[in-house]
């Protein structure tokens, strides 16, 4: 069967993550949440530790830790901490504590590098099912709340006057982000998840005129980057996750230069 | 403090319940008391302008009334299903967000034809395909106004909508607001820190400085000692534009002082009472005036 090929499974996994990351990535760019994404993603390692220590599925552990981190950071930023400082502390504290905590797990062999940079070539059928379920969940959630999310992103007061609760929309986005991190961990790893969010969306930006077009084009860019990166990893024996990010960055440079030449 | 108050329902004698009614609003943000003991009521079709110095809580009051901010104390009752068209003070569209004017209007609802109509009505016909971030200040405010109008609002809320416009632009924008208001028949709640733009047709002016210092018709408020204490002798400006509009003197905005003594009375006749309390019986829901 076709899914027997680990390369096909890897490709499907990469495409699934790229599709799910696109709409969230657009909002991360518009709302300037890149650092927030980093903090949340770095909390994934704590989730891995939690899962391995309790015997829960890793995806569930990551989902819990990422959600908890996102909510904590959002609350801290709301309490008058400079958002930048709060996020900087949270992002790196989570990463360091996560690595330290992992080292305390005795009797469990942990592939730290895999969690940091992803291990797409070892994706199983179960992983694929989790990834595509998560992707469907994310895309469905964002599509359902699309108008409210856009209004809340444009202006919170405008949203409130239109009967949209901007805090609730922010929560929707946070949850979607946590799900994405849970399913993307295996593909690009905790350190590069934010790259898969931000880079395709930024690459799409110069070429589009509407928010919808940006999300769709980001999905296309992410997909191309995932497949190209995988191809490069196969041929040049480079690490797959970072290769996908490099491919996305190359596309970003090309679209930015094209836009500059067109003289926008 | 003494309070000059004019009952809104006697000014607009319709036996309907208020669109928004608030009692004893108070809000403290990061240690600063922004609002305290604010009572507010707005009848359908009424035009109310809130004036006050910078930092007096005008924007916060609007945000509380439209539901963007929850007050620490007090109660707010909004008419069920109240449709609000809101024009924020400042809407910074991030350059990272691609959005055309038409797509922005679509967020408010309405058919493509209705959206084109709203653009035409607000004087920016044909700009639907333009990027929102590429509009000039005046065009942008009009796009916001078109967005608000598309919601078929019962209440239009404007937070210093003419900020950053030059004086002719400001006068034209307020003229447009007055026209739209007349067409839609909605209530208008507007904020200004600029006394010169107290809307010509305001039924009521609320002078705010953390609390309601005084309120009443523009003429009554401008004569109130509380208002003079806040704004010094700068009452000419408010009255100038107020009267100017009767003369349709939009273009010159306010050349205050000269015609100060030529003022005539406002077209409406408002009963007003001097005293601490607003007669509650008249502002109750469904009470015929």
């Amino acid at each position: 069967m076709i899914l027997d090929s680990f390369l096909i499974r890897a490709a499907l996994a990469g495409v699934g993550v790229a599709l799910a990351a696109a709409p969230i990535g657009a909002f991360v760019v518009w709302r300037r949440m890149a650092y927030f994404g980093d903090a949340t993603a770095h909390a994934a390692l704590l989730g891995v530790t939690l899962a391995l220590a309790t015997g829960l599925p890793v995806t569930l552990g990551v989902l819990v830790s990422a959600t908890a981190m996102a909510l904590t950071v959002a609350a801290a930023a709301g309490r008058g901490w400079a958002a930048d400082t709060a996020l900087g502390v949270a992002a790196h504290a989570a990463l360091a504590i996560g690595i330290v905590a992992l080292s305390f797990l005795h009797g469990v062999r942990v592939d730290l590098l895999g969690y940091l940079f992803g291990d797409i070539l070892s994706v199983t059928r179960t992983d694929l099912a989790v990834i595509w379920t998560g992707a469907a969940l994310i895309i469905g959630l964002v599509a359902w709340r699309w108008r409210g999310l856009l209004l809340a992103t444009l202006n919170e007061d405008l949203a409130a006057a239109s009967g949209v609760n901007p805090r609730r929309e922010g929560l929707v986005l946070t949850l979607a982000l946590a799900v994405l991190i849970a399913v993307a961990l295996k593909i690009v790893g905790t350190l590069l998840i934010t790259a898969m969010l931000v880079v395709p969306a930024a690459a799409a930006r110069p070429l589009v005129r509407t928010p919808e077009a940006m999300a769709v084009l980001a999905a296309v860019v992410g997909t191309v980057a995932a497949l190209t990166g995988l191809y490069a990893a196969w041929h040049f024996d480079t690490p797959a996750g970072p290769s996908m990010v490099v491919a996305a960055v190359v596309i970003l440079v090309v679209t930015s230069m094209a836009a500059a030449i067109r003289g926008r | 403090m003494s309070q000059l108050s004019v009952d809104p329902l006697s000014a607009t004698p319709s036996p309907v319940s208020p669109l928004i009614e608030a009692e004893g609003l108070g809000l403290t943000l990061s240690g600063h008391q922004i609002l305290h003991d604010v009572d507010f009521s707005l009848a359908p079709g009424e035009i109310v302008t809130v004036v006050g110095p910078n930092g007096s809580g005008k924007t916060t009051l609007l945000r509380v009334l439209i539901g963007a901010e929850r007050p620490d104390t007090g109660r707010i009752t909004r008419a069920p299903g109240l449709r609000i068209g809101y024009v924020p003070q400042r809407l910074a569209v991030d350059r990272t967000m691609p959005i055309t004017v038409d797509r922005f209007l679509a967020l408010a609802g309405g058919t493509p034809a209705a959206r084109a109509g709203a653009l035409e009505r607000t004087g920016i016909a044909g700009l639907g395909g333009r990027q929102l971030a590429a509009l000039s200040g005046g065009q942008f405010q009009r796009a916001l106004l078109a967005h608000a109008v598309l919601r078929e609002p019962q209440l239009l809320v404007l937070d210093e909508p003419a900020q950053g416009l030059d004086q002719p632009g400001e006068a034209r924008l307020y003229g447009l607001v007055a026209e739209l208001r007349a067409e839609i028949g909605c209530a208008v709640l507007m904020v200004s820190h600029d006394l010169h733009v107290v809307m010509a047709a305001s039924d009521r002016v609320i002078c705010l400085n953390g609390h309601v210092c005084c309120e009443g018709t523009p003429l009554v408020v401008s004569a109130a000692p509380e208002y003079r204490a806040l704004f010094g002798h700068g009452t000419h400006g408010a009255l100038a534009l107020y009267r100017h509009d009767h003369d349709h003197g939009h273009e010159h905005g306010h050349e205050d002082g000269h015609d100060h003594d030529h003022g005539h009375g406002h077209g409406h006749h408002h009963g007003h009472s001097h005293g601490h309390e607003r007669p509650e019986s008249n502002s109750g829901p469904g009470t015929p005036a």
Side-chain angles (χ1 to χ4, degrees):
Chain A
M1 185 185 163
I2 191 167
L3 289 182
D4 288 344
S5 158
F6 72 93
L7 214 52
I8 298 286
R9 287 199 302 271
L12 285 174
V15 170
V17 168
L19 294 183
I24 304 180
F27 282 105
V28 166
V29 168
W30 297 331
R31 297 168 77 115
R32 301 176 177 242
M33 290 167 59
Y35 224 168
F36 183 82
D38 254 351
T40 313
H42 289 180
L45 278 188
L46 282 172
V48 171
T49 315
L50 182 77
L52 293 179
T54 56
L56 286 168
V58 169
T59 307
L60 189 63
V62 173
L63 192 60
V64 169
S65 67
T67 308
M69 173 58 99
L71 296 180
T72 308
V73 169
R79 274 169 197 269
W81 275 86
D84 198 47
T85 306
L87 290 173
V89 170
H92 298 104
L95 189 62
I97 295 172
I99 294 175
V100 168
L102 267 178
S103 75
F104 275 113
L105 287 178
H106 295 294
V108 189
R109 284 183 58 87
V110 181
D111 174 18
L112 182 59
L113 224 51
Y115 288 121
L116 289 180
F117 296 108
D119 188 10
I120 193 173
L121 296 181
S122 72
V123 163
T124 64
R125 286 166 185 239
T126 317
D127 291 334
L128 263 188
V130 168
I131 288 169
W132 279 86
T133 308
L137 207 67
I138 290 167
I139 293 169
L141 190 66
V142 173
W144 174 44
R145 313 293 317 177
W146 187 255
R147 175 178 170 270
L149 283 168
L150 279 185
L151 271 171
T153 301
L154 275 169
N155 185 282
E156 298 205 338
D157 293 347
L158 196 65
S162 308
V164 170
N165 181 347
R167 243 169 253 137
R168 190 183 55 211
E169 303 306 324
L171 199 62
V172 165
L173 208 55
T174 301
L175 279 178
L177 181 65
V179 173
L180 179 80
I181 286 162
V183 301
L185 180 67
K186 183 139 194 180
I187 312 308
V188 282
T190 185
L191 290 182
L192 290 177
I193 287 174
T194 314
M196 283 309 279
L197 284 170
V198 173
V199 180
R205 173 63 188 96
L207 307 178
V208 295
R209 301 176 47 76
T210 62
E212 292 77 15
M214 181 154 153
V216 170
L217 192 60
V220 173
V221 171
T223 302
V224 171
L227 296 178
T228 314
L230 206 54
Y231 179 84
W234 180 246
H235 275 268
F236 308 118
D237 196 25
T238 51
S243 301
M244 286 158 61
V245 174
V246 170
V249 170
V250 169
I251 299 175
L252 166 67
V253 170
V254 170
T255 60
S256 304
M257 279 170 42
I261 289 168
R262 244 183 13 192
R264 267 170 38 98
Chain B
M1 83 233 110
S2 74
Q3 215 177 46
L4 269 164
S5 75
V6 171
D7 175 47
L9 293 184
S10 66
T12 318
S14 51
V16 284
S17 48
L19 294 177
I20 298 185
E21 193 164 33
E23 236 179 64
L25 294 181
L27 181 63
T28 299
L29 291 175
S30 44
H32 295 282
Q33 192 181 48
I34 312 286
L35 296 173
H36 63 93
D37 303 312
V38 175
D39 294 345
F40 178 87
S41 174
L42 185 73
E46 199 184 10
I47 302 180
V48 173
T49 305
V50 181
V51 298
N54 285 329
S56 58
K58 303 182 299 289
T59 293
T60 307
L61 176 61
L62 282 203
R63 297 188 69 238
V64 167
L65 290 174
I66 65 172
E69 187 88 55
R70 203 171 298 163
D72 299 330
T73 61
R75 276 183 316 140
I76 301 182
T77 319
R78 295 183 194 86
L82 177 65
R83 288 189 312 279
I84 300 175
Y86 176 61
V87 176
Q89 185 175 41
R90 190 173 297 121
L91 198 163
V93 178
D94 201 301
R95 294 289 305 189
T96 60
M97 187 171 207
I99 188 164
T100 58
V101 173
D102 188 62
R103 184 67 191 90
F104 172 64
L105 294 189
L107 289 173
T111 60
R115 300 202 290 272
L119 285 179
E120 196 176 331
R121 189 61 200 84
T122 50
I124 47 171
L127 290 191
R130 200 73 86 72
Q131 285 290 304
L132 205 53
L135 296 184
S136 74
Q139 292 169 338
F140 198 96
Q141 293 311 110
R142 283 158 192 270
L144 287 175
L145 208 50
H147 179 98
V149 166
L150 272 168
R151 289 184 46 75
E152 300 177 353
Q154 296 158 284
L155 167 61
L156 200 54
V157 179
L158 308 149
D159 190 356
E160 301 194 28
Q163 217 187 33
L165 300 188
D166 59 12
Q167 235 160 50
E170 181 178 302
R172 280 197 297 271
L173 190 74
Y174 281 109
L176 176 61
V177 169
E179 285 171 30
L180 290 173
R181 146 85 201 19
E183 281 168 31
I184 306 170
C186 58
V188 174
L189 173 60
M190 203 167 64
V191 149
S192 175
H193 77 274
D194 185 349
L195 304 179
H196 302 312
V197 300
V198 168
M199 205 171 161
S202 284
D203 295 315
R204 192 152 50 101
V205 174
I206 295 175
C207 179
L208 192 75
N209 192 19
H211 63 286
V212 176
C213 297
C214 53
E215 64 178 301
T217 64
L219 279 172
V220 168
V221 165
S222 61
E226 293 87 350
Y227 176 88
R228 284 164 179 266
L230 273 179
F231 291 109
H233 57 277
T235 58
H236 310 333
L239 289 173
L241 184 65
Y242 170 62
R243 281 197 305 264
H244 253 133
D245 195 66
H246 289 261
D247 302 328
H248 301 285
H250 282 300
E251 296 310 311
H252 301 289
H254 62 93
E255 282 157 18
D256 41 339
H258 305 302
D259 58 348
H260 181 50
D261 293 325
H262 306 166
H264 51 73
H266 191 279
H268 304 284
H269 290 285
H270 301 258
H272 53 83
S273 60
H274 299 259
H276 277 277
E277 71 288 310
R278 181 185 310 163
E280 273 309 313
S281 58
N282 283 355
S283 49
T287 310

